[in-house]
Amino acid sequence: MFEQAAFPVQNEQGFQQLSSRIEAAFAPNRADLFLAQVAGKKLRIRQFEEILAKGLLGKDAPELYSALPMSDQSLIREKFLARIEKVPNDLRQRFLKLYAYY
């Protein structure tokens, strides 16, 4: 059985800022808008670095992310990928192209 490795967060402030932006983007009243923005940029939902680069998590998100050490970047990326899997099925069906593997 897979068990996630427990790495301590090194840059707590930057990690928390990005983490809160991810949670805000996928809040129940905002998730459809965020997914529509991702679709509008012709990105897939798992393209985390590209989503950051396009400013969809805030204009300063790329700088916050690049300031994090590699281990914190990995944790943020993993948090984002875990969060996109918790999107309700009705939204996932509506934005099926974002989730599709092709």
Side-chain angles (χ1 to χ4, degrees), residues 14-15 17-19 21-23 25-26 34 38 43-58 61-62 64-66 68 72-84 98:
F15 183 87
Q17 284 181 328
L18 284 172
S19 181
R21 289 179 188 196
I22 290 169
E23 290 304 318
F26 288 102
F34 178 71
V38 173
L43 298 171
R44 301 272 187 239
I45 195 62
R46 291 176 184 86
Q47 294 177 306
F48 178 66
E49 283 83 8
E50 289 85 351
I51 289 170
L52 279 176
K54 296 286 183 180
L56 298 179
L57 292 174
L64 286 171
Y65 182 72
S66 64
L68 294 175
D72 289 357
Q73 288 180 1
S74 298
L75 289 171
I76 280 291
R77 207 170 29 251
E78 188 173 321
K79 180 177 184 66
F80 180 82
L81 294 173
R83 188 62 187 92
I84 65 174
L98 297 180

